Amino acid sequence: MRWLESYWYRISPLHLALWPLSLVFAALAALRRLLYRAGVLAVTRLPVPVIVAGNINVGGTGKTPLVIWLARMLLERGYHPGIICRGYGGSAGSPRRATTGSDPGVVGDEAVLLARRCPCPVWVGARRVAAARALLAAHPECDAVISDDGLQHYALARDVEIAVVDGERGFGNGMLLPAGPLRESLRRLERVDALVVNGAALFPHAMLPSDRPTFEMTLNGSTFHNLLDPARQAGPERFAAQHVHAVAGIGNPQRFFDHLRKLGMSFNGRPFPDHHAFEAADFADAEADAVLMTEKDAVKCERFGSGKFWALRIDAEVDLALGELILHKLGK
């Protein structure tokens, strides 16, 4: 898959072959949207408001840090939110709760991370409607549901739609799958309630619909937590004289590596596919004093990692006006 992804951010002769397939994909996606809008396919509305944070790109754009920010914002404003997600990378099909100690091989790495970072219930399931119903049945105090991803999951009615845009990679070559990275056309952005640009300083805002509220988001962090003893913390300076190996199994590994370089760090970086199921063998040839990784990757390395493994904690800084917009749409 990674070899194909490399073509999504440029134009090459390969696209002459893939472009007809993209037209078919676009037609099927449009037909599916039409069937939901016409009521041919059922749409379920929950008894509480639903906020969807998703994107139209394949790969990471920063949705999960935004979901953490949204959950904390709602808690601070008196809501009792719950979070649902697909559980990518996990084997769970039927709805189940993700906890701080859940197996990421079952519920997915993002779900475990959300459970650890958000003081609210997190449920996963192959079908988001079923996951949301199970969440509300188990936690009747929840008065709002946040869906991590799911912009294209039209079976679940939503009150607020947020599309996250990668300010660094943008929309690639602008083509739909498989010729490009888009799940839906750029016109889909004209119907969301808000756009959040991760790394806004790098992005040409002229590509976005001018009538959609647009907010900036940055991902910041400079504190590493030891994998075996999270209470142990360290800054970048701790690794200055060490041989450092860095791994990233996220949608955009380069973002993590660039972040480390901004912290002034030198390292040997190795990217892995998104949601990669890390094994000890992945580090067999990593002759290093320290191994650095993202929080999402760290939850999958705890069962075999050593004291030289460190995870970088990242937090989203979001324009506070986004919170006001959401609260207004929720009627509070």
Side-chain angles (χ1 to χ4, degrees):
M1 183 66 170
R2 186 168 293 279
W3 71 269
L4 180 59
E5 184 177 347
S6 67
Y7 284 89
W8 289 345
Y9 296 89
R10 56 192 170 100
I11 298 295
S12 74
L14 176 64
H15 294 93
L16 294 177
L18 296 180
W19 181 63
L21 297 177
S22 291
L23 295 179
V24 174
F25 184 89
L28 293 175
L31 175 61
R32 180 171 171 272
R33 287 195 304 270
L34 178 62
L35 292 176
Y36 274 109
R37 293 176 66 180
V40 177
L41 296 178
V43 177
T44 298
R45 178 163 293 279
L46 300 179
V48 301
V50 173
I51 303 169
V52 172
N55 59 22
I56 62 171
N57 290 56
V58 171
T61 57
K63 296 185 306 298
T64 299
L66 176 63
V67 168
I68 295 172
W69 183 88
L70 289 170
R72 293 186 176 277
M73 182 274 295
L74 290 175
L75 284 164
E76 291 174 358
R77 298 303 291 264
Y79 277 91
H80 300 86
I83 299 173
I84 59 171
C85 57
R86 173 63 179 81
Y88 291 107
S91 59
S94 58
R96 67 181 64 197
R97 183 173 183 178
T99 67
T100 58
S102 291
D103 182 353
V106 176
V107 302
D109 45 25
E110 290 172 345
V112 176
L113 175 58
L114 287 169
R116 294 182 178 183
R117 295 292 305 276
C118 299
C120 60
V122 178
W123 280 68
V124 302
R127 298 177 181 272
R128 285 183 173 82
V129 171
R133 283 174 167 167
L135 183 154
L136 294 177
H139 308 277
E141 74 280 5
C142 286
D143 50 12
V145 169
I146 304 171
S147 177
D148 183 356
D149 209 355
L151 200 62
Q152 291 78 33
H153 194 84
Y154 294 109
L156 177 62
R158 64 285 312 266
D159 299 88
V160 182
E161 282 191 332
I162 305 170
V164 186
V165 178
D166 187 335
E168 296 180 12
R169 299 195 298 178
F171 305 111
N173 57 22
M175 296 184 178
L176 273 70
L177 292 167
L182 300 186
R183 303 171 179 174
E184 296 183 278
S185 72
L186 292 176
R187 295 192 61 183
R188 176 67 173 87
L189 299 179
E190 299 174 2
R191 298 191 295 275
V192 301
D193 297 290
L195 295 163
V196 173
V197 183
N198 179 14
L202 305 172
F203 189 76
H205 282 61
M207 296 182 66
L208 301 176
S210 59
D211 63 338
R212 294 295 86 192
T214 303
F215 306 90
E216 296 184 5
M217 178 176 77
T218 57
L219 301 180
N220 299 309
S222 59
T223 301
F224 296 85
H225 295 256
N226 187 266
L227 188 67
L228 300 187
D229 183 9
R232 287 180 59 199
Q233 300 180 15
E237 64 281 355
R238 184 189 193 283
F239 310 100
Q242 297 185 352
H243 180 202
V244 177
H245 184 72
V247 300
I250 57 178
N252 183 5
Q254 192 59 44
R255 176 182 284 118
F256 177 64
F257 299 144
D258 289 344
H259 188 92
L260 294 181
R261 292 190 180 94
K262 289 178 183 178
L263 295 177
M265 306 185 70
S266 298
F267 57 92
N268 174 43
R270 183 182 176 188
F272 286 85
D274 196 13
H275 303 290
H276 178 70
F278 283 98
E279 299 287 346
D282 293 320
F283 304 91
D285 58 351
E287 298 179 0
D289 302 310
V291 178
L292 309 183
M293 59 188 60
T294 69
E295 285 184 288
K296 191 176 85 166
D297 294 327
V299 303
K300 294 173 288 189
C301 298
E302 291 175 347
R303 56 189 173 83
F304 59 81
S306 68
K308 71 178 183 180
F309 284 52
W310 297 80
L312 177 65
R313 176 167 177 167
I314 292 293
D315 290 296
E317 292 187 12
V318 187
D319 186 342
L320 296 179
L322 174 63
E324 298 304 319
L325 173 67
I326 292 172
L327 292 170
H328 174 73
K329 287 190 171 293
L330 298 186
K332 189 169 183 177

